[in-house]
Amino acid sequence: MADMLDISKDYVDPFDSDSIVAKFRDFRDRSKRKFADNYEKMRTDRDFLNGETQWTKADGRHVSDKRNRMILNVISNSVNSVVNQYSAYPFMWYKGEPDDDKLLDALLKRGSNSSCGSEALKNSAGLGLGVMAMGSDKDGVPCVYAINDLDRVLLDPDSTELDGADMVEAALIDYRGKRWVELNYGPEWVPDEREQNIVPARKDMVPIVTYFVLEEDGCHVYTLVNNNAIDGGVLPLERVPVVPVYGERWFDNEGDMHWGGMVAKARSIQKLVNLSVTQLAERLSLSPKPQWMGTVEAFKGLDKYYKDAGAGLNPILPYNRKSADQKDVLDPPQRFDAKVQFEDLGGIVGNLLSVMVSVTGVDAHGLIDQNTMQTA
């Protein structure tokens, strides 16, 4: 297997911290350049999927921000539908060797490992890329987990395999407080405020990079903190333990890989759905309260009851049964309900959901069940 791999050319042996840091910097720059457009699109799509940018400043030309803008997040429901269906048929490991496949499949099903596929698939279906990584817990037991914040992953820019099997480099970025770094690595590992970290830092946090390099003798693991590297040993693996899960991907005329998910496909439909439910909410909120018709004498002295008749829960509305001179029996007031026109909007939303299904190829379903019910 090793002689078939594109082994990295800059392997440094024996271990040299400065050389490893330099090698990582080169890999970091190449990876970010290669995937810059993809990652920026994913950030935009992620905000849209979460509902944060489904209404923008530009929408003010049609719907003022002073109006009650509504969101009916049908894209999120479609993504969750994919994940729900996956729960019945989760990922299985296939290497072609029965004993290894059995062990690895058991690993995917054990404990919290079983949820990593769903988490990675949610990013894959919605944004076009999810990532799973293999590691070990605090007791050294192997585990598999999903990387939800994809800004914390650096992938091999030269990889083209669907599962990343041809990657020879990858990196995972974690963040810890300065005190944690001082206790676990020593005060000399805490960066100075003016010092530039090996990757962008977050406020009051120190980036800790796990850097994987595939060599002929296995997968070398390095930990990089504050521009210094620590040799983490060699894993007996024939691949980097980082697995991309792509949604829809394609290659352009230059051979560069791109990917996308449901958000990119259905963004415009989601906007139209939001416009429709906003219009419906406004019609409901502006509709007049129920009106009452009766003789003046029937209401006399009872105005306070009828003013709030459509706002409270009191079912009792008194009226004057006889005229003031007690000679005539008065008819009770009659209620007239205001009718809200919503059939047109209901039809529009229904048609939009049908278009959403056609565009994404996924029905907006709830939990998998023998009698699946449509929820959006």
Side-chain angles (χ1 to χ4, degrees):
M1 176 68 179
D3 58 354
M4 297 174 62
L5 298 172
D6 180 16
I7 303 301
S8 55
K9 307 297 189 297
D10 303 322
Y11 175 50
V12 179
D13 190 17
F15 172 76
D16 178 76
S17 176
D18 291 341
S19 297
I20 294 299
V21 170
K23 180 179 176 63
F24 171 77
R25 287 181 184 278
D26 175 70
F27 163 68
R28 174 202 64 189
D29 293 342
R30 288 187 296 110
S31 180
K32 288 193 171 184
R33 277 197 306 271
K34 185 78 168 184
F35 301 124
D37 292 342
N38 281 310
Y39 272 66
E40 182 58 35
K41 184 176 65 176
M42 286 179 61
R43 293 185 193 99
T44 302
D45 288 350
R46 180 175 56 198
D47 291 341
F48 191 89
L49 180 62
N50 294 335
E52 296 177 15
T53 58
Q54 289 191 16
W55 288 101
T56 64
K57 186 176 181 180
D59 293 322
R61 292 174 296 178
H62 311 291
V63 181
S64 169
D65 58 6
K66 293 181 175 59
R67 291 167 63 182
N68 187 21
R69 295 174 171 181
M70 306 293 292
I71 292 177
L72 181 63
N73 203 335
V74 292
I75 290 184
S76 178
N77 203 46
S78 294
V79 172
N80 289 329
S81 177
V82 173
V83 177
N84 290 340
Q85 293 180 51
Y86 159 81
S87 64
Y89 303 98
F91 290 143
M92 295 182 64
W93 197 282
Y94 179 75
K95 188 180 175 184
E97 299 178 11
D99 291 339
D100 290 349
D101 288 342
K102 186 176 181 179
L103 288 172
L104 291 168
D105 194 38
L107 173 64
L108 285 175
K109 295 178 180 177
R110 187 172 62 221
S112 61
N113 296 349
S114 60
S115 65
C116 75
S118 296
E119 294 180 28
L121 186 59
K122 187 171 184 177
N123 281 324
S124 173
L127 310 177
L129 174 66
V131 176
M132 296 189 296
M134 291 177 282
S136 59
D137 60 20
K138 62 181 181 180
D139 298 320
V141 177
C143 64
V144 184
Y145 56 96
I147 310 295
N148 290 320
D149 184 354
L150 296 176
D151 287 325
R152 296 187 176 196
V153 182
L154 293 174
L155 300 176
D156 190 336
D158 299 321
S159 172
T160 58
E161 291 290 341
L162 188 61
D163 63 350
D166 58 341
M167 290 198 297
V168 296
E169 290 178 280
L172 303 176
I173 305 168
D174 200 1
Y175 293 89
R176 291 286 186 269
K178 293 181 179 180
R179 181 58 177 162
W180 187 93
V181 174
E182 182 178 351
L183 291 174
N184 287 271
Y185 291 94
E188 67 277 10
W189 292 83
V190 179
D192 184 87
E193 294 292 341
R194 296 164 296 179
E195 192 171 4
Q196 186 174 5
N197 284 282
I198 197 166
V199 294
R202 297 183 176 179
K203 186 177 180 181
D204 298 324
M205 304 293 280
V206 179
I208 299 176
V209 179
T210 302
Y211 178 37
F212 301 102
V213 180
L214 192 63
E215 305 291 351
E216 293 182 353
D217 57 343
C219 183
H220 290 243
V221 184
Y222 305 101
T223 301
L224 289 80
V225 184
N226 189 19
N227 300 303
N228 293 296
I230 303 171
D231 190 350
V234 181
L235 299 175
L237 299 175
E238 297 177 339
R239 63 162 294 153
V240 168
V242 176
V243 182
V245 182
Y246 292 103
E248 181 175 302
R249 68 170 191 162
W250 64 94
F251 294 86
D252 61 23
N253 293 333
E254 303 297 325
D256 292 331
M257 180 171 60
H258 302 270
W259 57 76
M262 293 185 190
V263 175
K265 287 176 171 289
R267 180 185 294 267
S268 58
I269 302 172
Q270 176 66 64
K271 298 281 286 187
L272 291 172
V273 169
N274 290 344
L275 285 169
S276 299
V277 295
T278 295
Q279 176 67 231
L280 177 59
E282 287 189 334
R283 291 187 189 183
L284 292 171
S285 64
L286 295 174
S287 62
K289 294 193 301 181
Q291 298 180 1
W292 296 83
M293 186 176 71
T295 64
V296 174
E297 288 185 300
F299 292 111
K300 189 173 182 180
L302 302 173
D303 294 15
K304 63 180 181 179
Y305 294 100
Y306 289 88
K307 282 182 179 179
D308 298 323
L313 297 177
N314 185 5
I316 300 174
L317 288 174
Y319 76 100
N320 297 315
R321 193 172 65 87
K322 290 187 176 183
S323 60
D325 57 10
Q326 301 296 307
K327 293 182 178 180
D328 298 321
V329 177
L330 305 176
D331 293 329
Q334 297 184 33
R335 172 174 169 149
F336 290 87
D337 291 316
K339 184 177 180 180
V340 180
Q341 290 288 342
F342 64 89
E343 290 84 358
D344 56 337
L345 291 175
I348 290 172
V349 173
N351 289 332
L352 288 174
L353 293 179
S354 297
V355 174
M356 176 80 78
V357 172
S358 299
V359 169
T360 63
V362 177
D363 288 332
H365 286 151
L367 292 173
I368 294 302
D369 175 304
Q370 286 185 347
N371 299 308
T372 303
M373 297 183 65
Q374 187 160 328
T375 58

